[in-house]
């Protein structure tokens, strides 16, 4: 709309300049007042007719541009109802909290610096409960998030599960547990969590609530 107003201002400015030039000619050429009034009246009539036509065209053009820009902006959003938005927000909050908790429990299974005589079996049991809960939530809410989010969730869960399997195997063969490899796996899990967080954030930001 600002461009539209600028155009109208420029037209009005041109009209004022033309009237100014005519006034200068009036005084320099000693025209009589009737001639001056006739010229001004003619120019004003032409200006009004010109403004009337171009004003409508310019206004329609500006409105069309704004509508087109709005359509482009709107196309980048996913239109959802308030109910759907609240539901998805709850799902993303719940699933991310669960997968992050699983990561924390994975870190606790076999840290580099541990307590004396740790109860690894108890840790594995607690991990297993949380692992099953996480798997249940991932599958339960599968229809509500994208394939990319789903794949990252399952990949993160599986990496945590692999670490638990390695820790469980170390109960039988302690020397076979590779701390360097375990550290690498945990770093990959952490990266996955960051990606999941960003994907969820992007999804939430792209949702636009529409009135029902």
């Amino acid at each position: 709309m600002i461009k539209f107003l600028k155009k109208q201002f420029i037209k009005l400015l041109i009209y004022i300049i033309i009237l100014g030039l005519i006034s200068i000619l009036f005084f320099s050429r000693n025209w009589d007042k009737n001639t001056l009034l006739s010229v001004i009246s003619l120019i004003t009539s032409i200006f009004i007719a010109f403004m009337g036509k171009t004003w409508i065209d310019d206004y329609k053009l500006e409105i069309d541009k704004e509508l087109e820009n709005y359509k482009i902006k709107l196309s980048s959003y996913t239109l959802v109802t308030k109910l759907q938005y609240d539901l998805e927000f709850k799902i993303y909050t719940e699933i991310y909290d669960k997968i992050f908790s699983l990561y924390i429990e994975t870190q606790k299974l076999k840290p580099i610096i541990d307590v004396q005589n740790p109860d690894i079996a108890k840790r594995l049991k607690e991990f297993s409960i949380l692992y099953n809960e996480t798997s249940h939530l991932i599958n339960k809410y599968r229809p509500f998030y994208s394939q990319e989010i789903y794949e990252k969730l399952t990949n993160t869960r599986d990496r945590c599960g692999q670490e638990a399997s390695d820790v469980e195997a170390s109960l039988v063969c302690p020397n076979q547990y590779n701390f360097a490899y375990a550290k690498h796996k945990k770093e990959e899990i952490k990266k996955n969590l960051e990606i999941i967080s960003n994907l969820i954030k992007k999804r939430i930001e792209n949702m636009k609530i529409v009135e029902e």
Side-chain angles (χ1 to χ4, degrees):
M1 194 58 66
I2 294 176
K3 289 183 179 179
F4 168 75
L5 294 175
K6 283 183 178 179
K7 282 184 179 181
Q8 309 318 307
F9 176 77
I10 291 172
K11 292 173 186 177
L12 183 60
L13 185 62
I14 292 172
Y15 169 70
I16 294 172
I17 291 173
I18 291 174
L19 290 184
L21 292 174
I22 291 173
S23 298
I24 292 172
L25 287 174
F26 168 73
F27 289 108
S28 63
R29 300 294 178 87
N30 295 319
W31 288 350
D32 60 81
K33 291 182 179 180
N34 291 332
T35 303
L36 176 63
L37 291 174
S38 297
V39 172
I40 291 176
S41 177
L42 176 63
I43 292 174
T44 300
S45 299
I46 295 173
F47 175 76
I48 291 173
F50 174 74
M51 280 292 290
K53 183 179 184 306
T54 58
W55 184 89
I56 295 174
D57 292 340
D58 290 343
Y59 185 75
K60 287 174 62 179
L61 181 63
E62 191 67 23
I63 291 298
D64 289 343
K65 285 183 179 179
E66 288 189 3
L67 285 174
E68 189 62 32
N69 290 335
Y70 182 74
K71 286 179 182 178
I72 293 172
K73 184 179 180 180
L74 200 61
S75 65
S76 64
Y77 291 108
T78 301
L79 302 180
V80 297
T81 62
K82 179 68 164 56
L83 180 63
Q84 183 180 346
Y85 180 89
D86 291 342
L87 177 61
E88 286 200 37
F89 189 86
K90 175 181 176 296
I91 288 170
Y92 291 133
T93 303
E94 187 176 354
I95 194 67
Y96 188 81
D97 177 67
K98 191 65 71 173
I99 197 73
F100 187 80
S101 297
L102 188 66
Y103 165 66
I104 297 300
E105 288 303 313
T106 303
Q107 293 275 38
K108 293 178 182 178
L109 287 175
K110 198 174 181 67
I112 295 176
I113 301 176
D114 206 348
V115 297
Q116 188 175 7
N117 301 320
D119 191 346
I120 302 295
K122 181 181 178 182
R123 293 177 184 176
L124 286 169
K125 183 178 179 180
E126 292 173 349
F127 173 89
S128 179
I129 294 171
L130 185 57
Y131 179 91
N132 291 333
E133 290 176 353
T134 304
S135 295
H136 173 70
L137 278 184
I138 290 174
N139 293 322
K140 177 182 177 181
Y141 295 135
R142 174 67 186 90
F144 293 95
Y145 34 74
S146 67
Q147 181 67 21
E148 190 174 7
I149 292 177
Y150 174 73
E151 289 176 356
K152 283 299 176 183
L153 286 170
T154 53
N155 182 268
T156 304
R157 177 205 60 193
D158 292 345
R159 286 177 182 271
C160 291
Q162 182 60 53
E163 171 62 12
S165 297
D166 291 346
V167 171
E168 187 174 14
S170 72
L171 294 176
V172 179
C173 303
N175 294 331
Q176 290 187 4
Y177 185 79
N178 190 324
F179 278 99
Y181 181 57
K183 181 181 178 181
H184 172 73
K185 281 187 296 183
K186 292 172 185 177
E187 287 175 351
E188 290 300 313
I189 293 170
K190 189 176 181 181
K191 288 178 182 178
N192 273 2
L193 288 172
E194 186 68 24
I195 293 172
I196 292 169
S197 174
N198 289 332
L199 289 172
I200 290 174
K201 182 180 179 182
K202 183 179 179 181
R203 167 62 181 172
I204 292 174
E205 288 176 346
N206 285 343
M207 286 193 295
K208 188 173 183 65
I209 299 174
V210 293
E211 294 296 331
E212 296 185 60

